[in-house]
Amino acid sequence: MNDAIVFVIDDDASVCDSINLILSLKGMRTQVFSSAEDFLETYRPEWRGCILTDLQMPGMSGLDLQRALHDRGILLPVVVLTAHGDVPTTRVAMKGGAFDFLEKPVNDEVLLDVLKSAIREDDHRHAAERAEDATRSRLARLTPRERAVLDLLIEGLSQREIAARLTISPRTVEVYKARMMEKLQCRSLAELIRIAL
Amino acid sequence: MLRSSLFGVGYVLAYVALDALSYVQPLLKLGITPWNPDAGLTLAFLLLRGWRQTPWAAVAALSAEICVRGAPAAWIALICASIIIGAGYGGLALTLARRGLDHLLASRRAALEFSAGAALTALAVSGGYAATFVAAGVLPASSAVDAIERNWVGDLNGILTLTPLLLAAPLARRALPALRKHALLIASQGTGLAVLILLLFGVRPMGDLPLAYVLFAPVIWITLTWGVIGASAATLFIQISLLAIAAPHLSGSSLVEIQYLLVTLALTALLLGAVLAERASALARVATGEAEQRALLAAAPDAVLATNLAGRITSANIAAQRLFGATAGELVGASLVQWLPEADLQDRLERRRLSGRRADGGAFSAEIACVRLDPPARAGYLLIARDMTDHDYAQTQLRERDTALARAMRFALAGELATALTHELNQPITALVSYLRAVEILAAPLEVQDLRVHETLRKATREALRASDILKRLRDFYRGGALNRAMIEIRPLIADVVSAFSDRASRLGVELAQDIRVAHEVCVDRIQLQMVLHNLLSNALDALAETAPGSRRVHIAVSMEGERLRLTVEDTGCGVPPEIRGQLFEPFVTNKFDGMGLGLAISRSLLRSQGGELRLDASRSEDPEACGTRFVVELPLALARNAA
């Protein structure tokens, strides 16, 4: 959570400044943009945290930004903050995958809660991504022979059947299995298969 | 052909017979007799059968000369004389036939023409006839004038007495029942005339000619009863009786004198008959006109009442009976004030509003026009009254609808204003609240711990939030207007809005075209859609007012696109300036000098609240060549059903 940043996008300089101030006082890192276009230009893939955006802005609106993020595969959670609390726009924003929808002027406690949970969501997503990456790199360290044994294990064959299929002794299959479990850092056959899947 | 020849032969036989019968006191054994009914027969024949039958007339004349008088002169003279007779009456028939047989004696003018034509022709024929025989040496030149006179009066008399009667012969079958009905009258008239003739010519010594004027009385009586036919019949009757009774005792010259008298008698009767015919046709025309007027009054959609000068109703048409809920009997004779209490009878054609009273006591609003009738009409007043109840109701409806539209318009305007204001003010309020909270946090660790600092900051925050709440409540109040959807027809809705602009459009010379392709009813909020259309049309006309006249056009099109109604309003104006195109639907954005910039914002909000959309046609605004503006309204239809 340490590298998480709240990206504040609002065309109103006072709103940007005051939100920036209160969030930093609450101990959050922020970065301010005066337009959605500005944000998209400076965006870096390694950015973590969440977006807090106004809905109505000259040029690209909050809804347009959501669409652009989706198109570029940027998965940062979006919290919409608007002075226009009308039902149709809210519906569109939520359908577009907004994390939450807040009306101006906003209670700072509520804002902080929402932003924190948005950042937590972002963290979870990254943790999951990281775990997946680790598994993938570990699987890559298996030898071709070990990989073949693993595939047959996944198919549900017994050690004896695998030995017959690969024309090796069941004892050798046993050895491969033990080495794979060590490489993939798992303690049971069930865990081994879950990782491989 | 055969039929025609049979008619011809029959005519010749009749001619010869009549000539023989009337061959009384001839001059020098020629066909110069005081009464020649054969001339009347010839004219009638030629009129009835056509002037092309003229050769038959010559044949008949020749036959009579041979059969009755035993060819009194050389053949060539006889043939010449016959041809003169035939040609004379053939020419007369040709002239008279142009007027048409039905009208030959139907007016004074026609009767005069007939008589004058007969007199002139008879004179010509007599002259030719006499000249022929003088030339042939049969007639001494000294007797020529006498011969012409005798022959002329005889021919004229024959025509006046016989021709009208014979012309009526084809109608005899139709007239027979009427004659039978009045048999007693006819018999008494005939008897009276016969007795009179006997007294005048049979009993009294002859030569007392002046007394013959007494004959005028019965002839006029008969003519007044039977018209031209009666006149002819009566003079014919006198003529025949006279020849039968008196001719043997009278000298040639007295007989000619009597013939003059009879010609006068016949002429008088004929003209009287013609006057009567004229009067009858005038009366018939008046009757037809009156019947038409009556039908017109009866069928008139407005009540028509006639009153006398004192204001008593003298007649009332069917619409009047319906208007007052009364029968004609209840209306006629009643005082007008009983039905129209405020009516003051004056000659004023402009319409006035009065209240009327029905027979059942109910009151209604009536529009009245009144005109004074002066002689020759019966003096009084003619009133036309119309029930205005339905008209007033429609007017009220229209006014109410306008009022509702204007109210909705004001409401939407206030709503849009409140929404815009809320948005604009919420920005600084948001900043304010955040700053205050920040100050509160910043003040917490300060050395001087005055609790009032936190207290005051919290109060300030609360006040800022309260201001924001007030704005939101204001906005929600105006936005709260619930949708009022109903099944309506698109065409009249558009016509309503367009009619509100028709004055302005015609003043600007703008052509307002419509292309509405939605025949069935659709489910929308009438007033909201009207407001949107009102805004778009108003904008279009504003834009056109700034363009050159001549090509000012607004086109409204409505169609269905799947489940959505699509309405476009297109003008040939100056288009939307590029610099405001992006924020066209934002509040307070306008390029009008005196505009608020809320119309399009309101329209879009209204449509979006119904799930619809309002946009500027992008394809047009991106084309730099295209002038004008096209707005597109899309509206989803909750449910649409076909109009019955």
Side-chain angles (χ1 to χ4, degrees):
Chain A
M1 193 151 176
N2 289 337
D3 52 352
I5 301 174
V6 178
F7 302 97
V8 181
I9 308 172
D10 199 313
D11 60 306
D12 193 309
S14 310
V15 172
C16 277
D17 183 54
S18 62
I19 298 259
N20 184 30
L21 177 62
I22 189 105
L23 288 183
S24 37
L25 284 176
K26 293 279 184 180
M28 303 193 83
R29 292 173 60 196
T30 56
Q31 196 169 339
V32 174
F33 301 89
S34 64
S35 73
E37 289 91 335
D38 198 6
F39 171 81
L40 288 173
E41 251 169 58
T42 31
Y43 173 77
R44 310 288 301 274
E46 63 265 28
W47 282 359
R48 301 284 170 266
C50 71
I51 297 171
L52 176 66
T53 180
D54 189 15
L55 203 55
Q56 273 208 327
M57 293 178 283
M60 209 175 210
S61 75
L63 297 180
D64 295 336
L65 174 65
Q66 267 189 309
R67 237 165 277 140
L69 293 174
H70 184 262
D71 291 347
R72 297 176 192 202
I74 301 172
L75 297 169
L76 284 175
V78 176
V79 175
V80 175
L81 182 62
T82 179
H84 249 300
D86 59 342
V87 181
T89 15
T90 315
R91 202 170 45 222
V92 175
M94 295 312 284
K95 267 191 185 167
F99 180 79
D100 210 336
F101 198 93
L102 297 172
E103 207 174 340
K104 285 179 188 173
V106 66
N107 182 314
D108 56 326
E109 308 285 344
V110 175
L111 177 64
L112 217 65
D113 273 358
V114 169
L115 290 176
K116 277 181 178 159
S117 45
I119 289 168
R120 247 195 317 277
E121 156 123 346
D122 192 46
D123 276 350
H124 284 154
R125 199 169 41 75
H126 272 287
E129 261 177 31
R130 266 200 303 276
E132 212 173 289
D133 284 351
T135 316
R136 215 175 291 128
S137 62
R138 266 176 263 150
L139 278 172
R141 284 186 2 233
L142 299 182
T143 64
R145 206 62 181 168
E146 285 166 353
R147 180 78 221 182
V149 172
L150 181 59
D151 286 346
L152 291 172
L153 275 173
I154 291 167
E155 276 180 40
L157 300 188
S158 68
Q159 283 186 21
R160 199 171 281 278
E161 286 164 331
I162 293 170
R165 187 79 69 84
L166 299 176
T167 55
I168 48 176
S169 72
R171 176 79 194 126
T172 318
V173 174
E174 187 74 31
V175 173
Y176 279 136
K177 204 170 111 190
R179 214 185 293 159
M180 274 191 295
M181 288 185 46
E182 193 201 318
K183 275 186 183 172
L184 298 177
Q185 297 172 1
C186 42
R187 281 174 291 277
S188 68
L189 181 63
E191 207 176 333
L192 178 71
I193 289 171
R194 190 177 56 79
I195 287 171
L197 283 173
Chain B
M1 190 66 200
L2 179 71
R3 194 177 137 82
S4 182
S5 309
L6 278 176
F7 261 104
V9 171
Y11 154 72
V12 170
L13 292 175
Y15 185 98
V16 173
L18 271 180
D19 197 319
L21 282 174
S22 66
Y23 191 54
V24 179
Q25 296 204 357
L27 195 65
L28 298 165
K29 289 214 163 198
L30 288 172
I32 299 170
T33 51
W35 185 54
N36 302 325
D38 35 320
L41 176 68
T42 301
L43 185 58
F45 170 73
L46 292 176
L47 280 170
L48 285 172
R49 304 291 305 164
W51 65 275
R52 288 192 179 77
Q53 306 291 323
T54 302
W56 284 110
V59 168
L62 189 61
S63 311
E65 294 297 341
I66 297 163
C67 300
V68 181
R69 288 177 281 280
W75 280 100
I76 181 77
L78 291 180
I79 290 170
C80 261
S82 303
I83 288 174
I84 286 170
I85 292 173
Y89 291 115
L92 181 61
L94 178 61
T95 316
L96 291 177
R98 249 185 252 148
R99 186 180 280 278
L101 284 188
D102 288 343
H103 304 286
L104 206 58
L105 293 164
S107 70
R108 275 165 296 171
R109 191 187 161 86
L112 277 173
E113 274 175 17
F114 176 80
S115 312
L120 287 174
T121 311
L123 188 63
V125 167
S126 307
Y129 190 79
T132 311
F133 286 111
V134 169
V138 186
L139 188 69
S142 57
S143 309
V145 175
D146 188 28
I148 290 172
E149 187 193 2
R150 249 185 220 228
N151 202 353
W152 175 71
V153 78
D155 274 12
L156 184 57
N157 230 340
I159 291 170
L160 292 182
T161 50
L162 207 57
T163 307
L165 210 55
L166 288 174
L167 287 180
L171 305 174
R173 196 174 303 163
R174 242 194 296 156
L176 221 56
L179 291 177
R180 208 172 293 142
K181 203 169 139 199
H182 298 286
L184 198 64
L185 178 65
I186 295 168
S188 60
Q189 284 175 336
T191 317
L193 198 57
V195 169
L196 197 61
I197 291 168
L198 268 176
L199 285 174
L200 282 176
F201 301 107
V203 180
R204 294 180 63 84
M206 280 301 139
D208 214 359
L209 208 50
L211 267 184
Y213 65 80
V214 176
L215 285 170
F216 275 92
V219 168
I220 285 172
W221 175 36
I222 291 167
T223 307
L224 286 177
T225 322
W226 302 104
V228 173
I229 309 292
S232 273
T235 44
L236 182 66
F237 184 77
I238 292 169
Q239 189 70 258
I240 292 170
S241 323
L242 205 60
L243 286 179
I245 300 166
H249 316 290
L250 283 174
S251 70
S253 59
S254 325
L255 204 54
V256 172
E257 273 175 53
I258 289 181
Q259 287 308 317
Y260 274 113
L261 180 88
L262 287 178
V263 163
T264 316
L265 194 60
L267 263 178
T268 309
L270 215 57
L271 286 175
L272 185 63
V275 169
L276 286 173
E278 240 174 35
R279 179 169 163 266
S281 81
L283 282 177
R285 266 205 305 280
V286 169
T288 312
E290 270 182 359
E292 279 170 7
Q293 293 259 317
R294 264 200 304 279
L296 201 66
L297 279 186
D302 289 342
V304 180
L305 294 164
T307 71
N308 59 14
L309 286 174
R312 288 215 170 268
I313 298 171
T314 52
S315 79
N317 70 348
I318 292 172
Q321 296 163 28
R322 211 179 303 128
L323 180 66
F324 293 106
T327 62
E330 288 171 302
L331 286 169
V332 173
S335 172
L336 185 66
V337 181
Q338 185 188 334
W339 305 97
L340 292 167
E342 300 160 18
D344 58 330
L345 289 167
Q346 269 170 8
D347 189 9
R348 279 198 307 216
L349 262 177
E350 81 264 29
R351 294 175 167 270
R352 275 170 297 155
R353 277 304 188 86
L354 298 178
S355 85
R357 194 164 296 155
R358 293 185 213 282
D360 60 11
F364 64 95
S365 171
E367 198 173 64
I368 305 284
C370 178
V371 65
R372 192 192 156 101
L373 297 177
D374 289 313
R378 199 181 320 158
Y381 294 93
L382 195 68
L383 269 99
I384 297 170
R386 179 180 292 178
D387 189 347
M388 299 303 279
T389 312
D390 288 351
H391 177 263
D392 289 354
Y393 180 70
Q395 286 285 316
T396 312
Q397 288 280 90
L398 210 62
R399 231 179 354 254
E400 274 174 8
R401 197 180 289 171
D402 281 355
T403 315
L405 184 63
R407 196 188 309 124
M409 216 58 135
R410 279 199 303 277
F411 205 81
L413 187 73
E416 198 61 31
L417 207 59
T419 306
L421 215 60
T422 308
H423 181 256
E424 294 305 316
L425 286 181
N426 264 338
Q427 297 282 59
I429 290 174
T430 304
L432 186 61
V433 170
S434 301
Y435 282 136
L436 285 170
R437 288 293 295 148
V439 172
E440 216 177 318
I441 293 163
L442 289 171
L446 285 183
E447 291 291 318
V448 189
Q449 288 275 344
D450 189 338
L451 285 175
R452 284 177 303 178
V453 172
H454 296 279
E455 186 71 11
T456 312
L457 283 171
R458 219 167 288 133
K459 278 179 184 169
T461 312
R462 207 164 54 226
E463 288 309 302
L465 287 172
R466 195 162 70 93
S468 168
D469 272 351
I470 290 169
L471 285 170
K472 279 181 192 163
R473 267 211 305 281
L474 185 71
R475 179 193 65 194
D476 293 344
F477 170 74
Y478 283 112
R479 199 185 279 162
L483 278 182
N484 193 5
R485 277 187 172 153
M487 297 301 299
I488 54 160
E489 268 186 77
I490 280 290
R491 206 177 287 272
L493 181 144
I494 289 178
D496 264 8
V497 180
V498 167
S499 72
F501 284 98
S502 57
D503 266 5
R504 207 179 145 211
S506 64
R507 218 172 27 247
L508 287 172
V510 173
E511 182 192 331
L512 276 173
Q514 294 177 36
D515 177 16
I516 297 165
R517 298 194 185 155
V518 180
H520 50 74
E521 295 185 332
V522 292
C523 186
V524 292
D525 185 315
R526 163 190 285 277
I527 287 186
Q528 291 201 346
L529 190 55
Q530 275 184 329
M531 265 196 286
V532 170
L533 189 57
H534 203 278
N535 266 322
L536 294 180
L537 275 179
S538 174
N539 283 348
L541 290 182
D542 284 347
L544 287 172
E546 290 167 21
T547 57
S551 60
R552 293 174 173 174
R553 232 179 16 256
V554 176
H555 189 253
I556 303 168
V558 187
S559 60
M560 295 295 299
E561 303 239 313
E563 290 290 291
R564 287 168 89 81
L565 184 78
R566 184 188 155 98
L567 181 150
T568 61
V569 175
E570 187 175 358
D571 65 60
T572 55
C574 40
V576 179
E579 62 270 19
I580 66 166
R581 211 169 275 163
Q583 314 109 51
L584 193 58
F585 295 98
E586 302 292 317
F588 310 119
V589 173
T590 182
N591 65 334
K592 291 184 203 169
F593 177 67
D594 55 353
M596 281 259 281
L598 282 173
L600 288 174
I602 292 172
S603 299
R604 177 176 263 190
S605 304
L606 289 175
L607 286 167
R608 283 187 170 172
S609 73
Q610 298 194 52
E613 183 56 284
L614 170 65
R615 57 190 167 77
L616 186 67
D617 191 332
S619 65
R620 282 186 70 88
S621 52
E622 276 161 21
D623 179 1
E625 291 301 306
C627 65
T629 313
R630 175 152 70 197
F631 282 102
V632 181
V633 172
E634 281 176 356
L635 203 54
L637 301 176
L639 33 92
R641 66 160 192 247
N642 289 335

